[in-house]
Amino acid sequence: MEESRYWELAELLEQDGALMDPRRGQGRRHRLVDIIVIAVAAAICGADGWVEVEMFGLAKKAWLREHLQLAHGIPSHDTFGRVFSRIDPEALMARLNHWIGASSLAGAGAVIAVDGKSVRRSHDRAAGKAALHLVSAWATEHGVVLGQRSVENKSNEITAIPEVLALLDLKGTVITIDAMGTQTSIAKQIVEGGGDYVLALKDNHPTLHQEVRHWFSRVDHADYPELLHDQDTAVGKGHGRVERRTTQTILANGRLSDDTRADWAGLQSLVAVHATRRIGSKKTLETRYFLSSLPGDATRLAQAIRAHWTIENSLHWSLDVAFREDESRIRTDHAPENMATLRRFALSLLKRDTTTKAGIKARRLKAGWDHAYLRHLLALA
């Protein structure tokens, strides 16, 4: 890491007590910033637990000494585990996001996907502790987690989503959320924050879902010649599959009652996405419905809906495949959430790299082998 980048992180961690060191004064043999920098670098290079973080530090000790003080050598895995079990997760993510300049990646026009993911093996049955479930806000274009909150289980996402949104500057952004977060209070929060929303609509709102389906079923009916506002069609191919997606929009005004539109702040468009998939001779058809505060531009809405799925395909999938997150057995206090933050920060840096044409797992390996590449990744923050 360039020395200036190290000191910038040191200042961010320490300014105004932003990230309090959880250790007693007499128990501090290693600087907090050194512990965090080693853990970040180790997470980039393939470490998925505290023993592996210590092994990385010992293997790279000479290189790390060029950038860190390490007055007492490399901390033990017990030290890493103990410190990260006690660090405030919200403060750690805020400081790392400040370092990477995350706020500048979510300006006007940005599509931010909000969704939850469980770390399946982080549960502790003996202690009655459920698996960690994190709700994250994902900047779809840049591949950066902008904020997250932990909840006890997936059913609690509704309470976590407003907290995640409160972390963001919503002005000019488009927030996409799956059906769990399709709530009138969440729509209001987004609009009042200056953003727009695209919310999936399913049977958790049965009456509204049925009404929206009713209108789209009449798009081709002769009695409703001007019902369809706009339409966009895209065809994708790959891995023997052909998918045709047709996005249709209907203006909410005049179709939904005044009371319904009043419930959903800023509601302008009803959206249907008809996806036809062919794999060999097998054909399937699926239709999904959405509510949006955006005008009925089908192309723009189709792009936002497609962008939402990058949180599954680029974030959640990468964490499970390249970082083996679902296998993590880190369970003590704040340690599971803080390790999850380190993984997401490492993934953001790996995704920002444009110099290597390889998957995330291969990039992690390269970073562990090549000091120049690791310095390059850390300099992207």
Side-chain angles (χ1 to χ4, degrees):
M1 181 192 298
E2 296 177 8
E3 186 175 359
S4 62
R5 301 300 295 163
Y6 163 72
W7 286 116
E8 181 180 336
L9 175 59
E11 291 171 3
L12 285 172
L13 293 176
E14 296 170 352
Q15 65 183 208
D16 302 325
L19 186 61
M20 298 295 294
D21 194 323
R23 299 167 295 171
R24 296 190 304 272
Q26 64 268 30
R28 300 180 187 179
R29 298 187 71 245
H30 305 280
R31 293 192 61 188
L32 181 62
V33 66
D34 290 353
I35 291 172
I36 292 174
V37 169
I38 293 171
V40 167
I44 292 172
C45 295
D48 297 313
W50 306 127
V51 171
E52 295 170 11
V53 171
E54 179 189 3
M55 292 176 66
F56 166 85
L58 292 172
K60 302 289 186 181
K61 186 175 180 179
W63 180 78
L64 289 168
R65 279 193 182 280
E66 297 175 12
H67 311 282
L68 309 181
Q69 293 188 8
L70 301 181
H72 298 282
I74 301 298
S76 69
H77 63 274
D78 285 335
T79 297
F80 282 109
R82 185 168 55 252
V83 170
F84 279 101
S85 72
R86 297 168 63 187
I87 288 176
D88 179 358
E90 295 177 17
L92 178 63
M93 169 152 274
R95 292 299 92 194
L96 292 179
N97 272 352
H98 192 161
W99 187 34
I100 202 174
S103 60
S104 67
L105 304 178
V111 177
I112 301 173
V114 178
D115 199 12
K117 181 188 182 299
S118 294
V119 182
R120 299 186 186 281
R121 293 194 180 182
S122 60
H123 64 272
D124 187 346
R125 290 194 180 95
K129 183 178 180 181
L132 175 69
H133 189 83
L134 289 170
V135 176
S136 302
W138 171 254
T140 60
E141 181 181 356
H142 298 282
V144 175
V145 174
L146 303 173
Q148 66 185 25
R149 282 290 184 270
S150 63
V151 293
E152 291 183 1
N153 52 59
K154 186 174 179 61
S155 64
N156 295 113
E157 284 187 18
I158 294 174
T159 60
I161 290 172
E163 296 179 10
V164 172
L165 293 176
L167 300 173
L168 310 177
D169 180 1
L170 300 176
K171 189 174 181 180
T173 63
V174 178
I175 308 297
T176 63
I177 311 178
D178 206 355
M180 179 74 75
T182 302
Q183 307 292 330
T184 55
S185 59
I186 291 174
K188 181 180 179 181
Q189 180 181 1
I190 294 169
V191 171
E192 289 182 347
D196 283 293
Y197 59 79
V198 181
L199 306 178
L201 180 64
K202 295 183 179 178
D203 284 333
N204 56 334
H205 293 283
T207 302
L208 182 56
H209 186 229
Q210 183 177 354
E211 189 172 0
V212 171
R213 289 181 61 184
H214 163 84
W215 285 116
F216 279 104
S217 71
R218 280 156 175 72
V219 161
D220 298 322
H221 198 285
D223 291 342
Y224 300 93
E226 298 179 357
L227 179 59
L228 181 65
H229 177 74
D230 196 15
Q231 180 169 297
D232 174 82
T233 298
V235 178
K237 299 179 181 180
H239 305 288
R241 179 180 68 181
V242 178
E243 183 176 29
R244 182 184 181 90
R245 297 179 301 277
T246 299
T247 302
Q248 298 178 323
T249 64
I250 293 173
L251 299 183
N253 187 20
R255 305 305 172 187
L256 301 182
S257 69
D258 292 342
D259 288 343
T260 299
R261 287 189 292 109
D263 288 340
W264 296 93
L267 178 61
Q268 293 198 65
S269 305
L270 313 179
V271 187
V273 178
H274 310 285
T276 303
R277 299 181 183 88
R278 289 184 182 272
I279 303 177
S281 60
K282 185 178 180 181
K283 177 181 177 181
T284 60
L285 174 63
E286 178 188 22
T287 299
R288 292 174 286 133
Y289 300 97
F290 302 85
L291 305 176
S292 181
S293 61
L294 291 168
D297 182 333
T299 300
R300 185 183 183 191
L301 284 159
Q303 291 170 346
I305 291 166
R306 289 288 292 171
H308 177 83
W309 294 109
T310 65
I311 197 171
E312 290 287 349
N313 300 332
S314 295
L315 176 61
H316 297 167
W317 187 87
S318 293
L319 289 170
D320 284 340
V321 174
F323 287 79
R324 299 164 55 203
E325 181 167 82
D326 263 356
E327 299 176 32
S328 176
R329 294 180 179 273
I330 296 172
R331 295 170 174 170
T332 305
D333 299 327
H334 295 313
E337 187 171 351
N338 283 324
M339 176 54 87
T341 294
L342 293 177
R343 292 188 201 103
R344 283 152 177 77
F345 185 72
L347 178 60
S348 295
L349 295 181
L350 289 160
K351 282 187 171 294
R352 294 180 77 174
D353 171 47
T354 59
T355 66
T356 302
K357 294 183 178 180
I360 296 300
K361 183 177 180 181
R363 294 184 192 193
R364 294 185 84 191
L365 291 171
K366 181 180 178 180
W369 298 328
D370 184 344
H371 289 162
Y373 183 58
L374 178 55
R375 280 195 297 270
H376 164 69
L377 292 174
L378 289 167
L380 293 175

